[in-house]
Amino acid sequence: MSEKSPMDGVEVRSGSSRMKLDHRFKWLCVSVAVISVLTLVALMTSILTQGMPYLSWTLLTGSPEPDPNQAGIYPAIFGTVWVCLLCAIMTLPIGVATAILLEEYQPRNRWGRMLYSIIQLNITNLAGVPSVVYGILGLTAFVSMFGLFESHNGKHGVEIGVRFYDQFYSEGERAILVSVESADSPMTRPTESMMSLDVNLRPVQVIVIKPGDSLPNDDRLAFTLFNDAEAGRISKKTWYYFSLPLGRGVLTGALTLMLVILPVIIISSQESLRAVPSSLRAGALGLGATSWQVVWNVTLPAAIPGIMTGSILAMSRAIGETAPILIIAGIVYISRAPQNLMDDFTVMPLQVYNWISRPQPEFHGIAAAGIILLLIVLLSFNAIAVLIRYKLQKPLS
């Protein structure tokens, strides 16, 4: 009785059929790649064809205007650069430090490993949350700060770097200012001994007269007030102005975008740290190095290329985000660039959206030109990140 072979009943594919299957799969991948590249080329060609005629110095340096011939995108460019720089400065250290903590200092006891698993699961889930959810979170946590710092009249509870003035308009139609201590101070009434400031904040002597008195016919008219003149309360903010709650300013936008891309940077940094050979760590520890010396001198330098690659992709996403910024800013028309971190702002995607939504065809061409400028800003940020990666990376030797 012959023995039964273990290969009996098993269908053996010929070498030619496997080669054909491999060839078909190869051409499928090539076809998908070619279709993707051709689609990108078609979109870029359409944008360049429509937007290049509208690229001008006025578009680059002007502010948004109802007239398409005078419309510019400078405030949006300035807002995009501010928000993205602040976002990168805050996100990269936090993301990389979190990844180092989770990968290089994993707990050894049971409860510590359980807590580590919960944190890792939450980070993974947060990476897939829609950005509009982070916009709502930023609106609650940063714009109003849960109402913790608001005063009784709804104004900012804490303010640094701001001065308040009562503004009068003299009979010579010139603005003069009277300094007050706070936003809640009583309104100033004109008096004969009142000293004031002109629009350049230089001290001037105010001339107060009664209704019916004759007006001066010389330069004193510019600083003459009637004793029943009423003032309006204004404020002048310095470049370092800061307030709590944060309001709808540049800092709030950067913090909200930080929430959007932070899980992505943490996960990509973890993967880069895991890719470092464990033999490097073991060798450094065997030579007597501490855990932190191993991380700072061995693991982190070797993982820099991967960390920077993930950071580039995350920042590219942040530059193009629209939904969270629309929720935070609340407005899409800003005629001037932000002057401080608490100032109102807009970004380039919002400005492009504003132009595209208009019925005039000229604004559609300007929107295409704005997309070209947005791509230039994006590529500039990516080039800087690639240069940093090149300078910081070290060979595994």
Side-chain angles (χ1 to χ4, degrees):
M1 185 174 180
S2 61
E3 295 183 0
K4 191 174 182 180
S5 172
M7 298 300 295
D8 292 346
V10 178
E11 181 181 358
V12 180
R13 294 185 179 181
S14 64
S16 60
S17 63
R18 288 187 288 111
M19 291 298 294
K20 289 180 180 178
L21 181 61
D22 181 74
H23 189 69
R24 291 170 185 170
F25 180 74
K26 173 185 174 182
W27 279 107
L28 176 63
C29 295
V30 172
S31 301
V32 172
V34 169
I35 292 173
S36 302
V37 172
L38 290 178
T39 303
L40 177 61
V41 170
L43 290 174
M44 290 302 301
T45 302
S46 175
I47 292 173
L48 291 174
T49 303
Q50 190 175 4
M52 287 298 292
Y54 291 90
L55 285 176
S56 64
W57 187 251
T58 301
L59 176 66
L60 188 62
T61 60
S63 59
E65 299 289 344
D67 185 1
N69 296 322
Q70 300 178 357
I73 199 173
Y74 173 73
I77 294 177
F78 206 79
T80 297
V81 173
W82 269 54
V83 170
C84 292
L85 279 178
L86 284 173
C87 180
I89 291 172
M90 293 185 294
T91 308
L92 293 180
I94 296 176
V96 174
T98 304
I100 291 174
L101 178 63
L102 294 177
E103 288 301 316
E104 303 297 327
Y105 295 94
Q106 293 187 14
R108 301 182 181 274
N109 57 72
R110 176 183 177 185
W111 295 107
R113 290 196 300 269
M114 184 180 300
L115 179 61
Y116 168 84
S117 300
I118 295 174
I119 295 175
Q120 189 66 54
L121 178 62
N122 287 331
I123 292 175
T124 305
N125 291 336
L126 288 173
V129 173
S131 58
V132 67
V133 177
Y134 290 107
I136 298 174
L137 177 61
L139 185 66
T140 304
F142 301 133
V143 174
S144 61
M145 286 191 166
F146 309 99
L148 297 177
F149 295 96
E150 289 186 358
S151 60
H152 64 279
N153 54 7
K155 299 181 180 179
H156 292 284
V158 178
E159 289 184 303
I160 300 173
V162 60
R163 293 293 303 271
F164 296 96
Y165 300 91
D166 286 344
Q167 179 175 266
F168 295 89
Y169 278 97
S170 68
E171 296 306 309
E173 297 183 353
R174 177 178 293 186
I176 55 179
L177 307 175
V178 177
S179 178
V180 295
E181 293 185 359
S182 66
D184 299 326
S185 299
M187 297 299 292
T188 304
R189 305 299 301 178
T191 59
E192 295 182 357
S193 61
M194 186 173 70
M195 291 290 295
S196 181
L197 304 173
D198 61 8
V199 291
N200 297 319
L201 301 184
R202 294 175 300 188
V204 294
Q205 178 66 50
V206 179
I207 301 173
V208 180
I209 61 176
K210 298 178 182 180
D213 292 348
S214 59
L215 296 173
N217 55 4
D218 52 17
D219 294 340
R220 295 179 299 169
L221 181 64
F223 307 105
T224 300
L225 293 176
F226 286 114
N227 59 7
D228 59 351
E230 295 184 357
R233 183 65 49 83
I234 65 170
S235 63
K236 290 186 177 293
K237 301 171 183 176
T238 59
W239 62 269
Y240 57 88
Y241 172 68
F242 180 80
S243 65
L244 291 176
L246 299 179
R248 299 178 181 270
V250 176
L251 182 59
T252 300
L255 289 171
T256 303
L257 288 183
M258 181 189 73
L259 298 180
V260 175
I261 67 174
L262 184 59
V264 179
I265 291 181
I266 293 175
I267 293 174
S268 63
S269 300
Q270 285 183 278
E271 294 297 332
S272 301
L273 293 171
R274 290 172 189 166
V276 178
S278 58
S279 58
L280 294 178
R281 298 182 179 87
L285 291 172
L287 292 174
T290 63
S291 298
W292 173 244
Q293 289 175 329
V294 172
V295 170
W296 184 252
N297 297 300
V298 179
T299 309
L300 189 58
I304 282 294
I307 293 174
M308 292 305 299
T309 300
S311 301
I312 290 171
L313 296 175
M315 288 306 303
S316 300
R317 176 185 176 184
I319 291 176
E321 283 291 350
T322 305
I325 298 299
L326 181 61
I327 294 176
I328 293 300
I331 48 179
V332 296
Y333 178 80
I334 295 290
S335 60
R336 63 182 182 88
Q339 305 300 312
N340 54 69
L341 296 183
M342 302 291 113
D343 210 354
D344 293 333
F345 73 102
T346 187
V347 292
M348 298 178 72
L350 281 185
Q351 188 59 62
V352 170
Y353 165 76
N354 185 19
W355 283 334
I356 291 178
S357 62
R358 299 195 178 188
Q360 298 93 330
E362 293 84 0
F363 279 112
H364 297 169
I366 296 176
I371 294 174
I372 296 174
L373 294 177
L374 177 59
L375 291 175
I376 293 174
V377 173
L378 172 61
L379 294 177
S380 300
F381 272 93
N382 289 352
I384 294 173
V386 170
L387 180 62
I388 295 174
R389 180 181 66 183
Y390 175 78
K391 292 294 184 180
L392 294 181
Q393 68 181 359
K394 296 181 180 179
L396 293 177
S397 61

